[in-house]
Amino acid sequence: MALHFDKGDAFAFDKPAGTPCPNLAPDSFGCRIHADLMNKGFGGCVKFDCRGAGQRVTQEVFAGITWRDAPDQMRQMIDAFRMMRRLHETLEAIALLQRYPLSPPQSQQLDAFLAELTAPESGWTVSSLTALDASDVFDRFKAALPAFRSAVSRA
């Protein structure tokens, strides 16, 4: 629902962000054509992975309330999903880097990023995600990535 897609090789039609996919079952959050996505022109759906961000936003940030339950909160939910997905992608990249033979300073740098990206004790909220998104941690992480090239290439 939150994401847009454009008609092309990966999707059979255009769908704007913030609108439910016509293939979304009206009585659940299941896809009515899930078993036949590739044949129906939706390879993009097969390849997409929200990395658990959607479920986490629904369960943790909005306490189980969905956009169907609270359509007036849909914009906040979409924004929270975008921020949570960015967080999850960064955490996934850190976990991947930790598998390589890192120097002690590189390990310490990743640990420092993890400390900044760890959920607050009270859990993620729209405001804590917004504060994280407004911080420079993602930019700093991206800028730090070239320093890990040697560890990755040694493996």
Side-chain angles (χ1 to χ4, degrees):
M1 193 282 305
L3 303 174
H4 81 282
F5 47 79
D6 298 322
K7 183 177 180 176
D9 292 340
F11 297 102
F13 53 76
D14 292 336
K15 186 195 85 64
T19 61
C21 176
N23 296 320
L24 185 64
D27 57 342
S28 72
F29 289 98
C31 176
R32 293 183 303 186
I33 64 165
H34 184 76
D36 206 23
L37 285 169
M38 292 298 288
N39 293 332
K40 300 259 183 184
F42 290 91
C45 294
V46 174
K47 295 175 187 171
F48 179 75
D49 182 358
C50 78
R51 294 171 167 79
Q55 295 87 341
R56 192 165 180 198
V57 165
T58 300
Q59 296 306 315
E60 186 176 333
V61 179
F62 289 94
I65 296 170
T66 71
W67 56 269
R68 284 185 172 153
D69 301 323
D72 58 315
Q73 293 184 48
M74 184 186 306
R75 180 78 252 157
Q76 270 192 311
M77 292 175 177
I78 290 170
D79 289 343
F81 169 75
R82 177 189 54 77
M83 293 181 282
M84 186 68 77
R85 186 159 179 249
R86 185 178 188 193
L87 169 63
H88 281 201
E89 287 171 344
T90 304
L91 291 171
E92 185 177 289
I94 290 170
L96 181 64
L97 286 171
Q98 288 177 322
R99 295 180 188 163
Y100 290 96
L102 303 175
S103 68
Q106 288 173 320
S107 292
Q108 291 167 356
Q109 188 176 26
L110 290 182
D111 289 344
F113 280 121
L114 280 175
E116 287 186 73
L117 298 169
T118 298
E121 269 189 48
S122 59
W124 289 112
T125 64
V126 171
S127 56
S128 62
L129 283 168
T130 301
L132 179 67
D133 196 53
S135 77
D136 67 347
V137 66
F138 297 109
D139 292 334
R140 287 186 291 109
F141 178 72
K142 185 176 177 180
L145 285 175
F148 292 91
R149 189 172 290 132
S150 62
V152 172
S153 64
R154 282 194 307 262

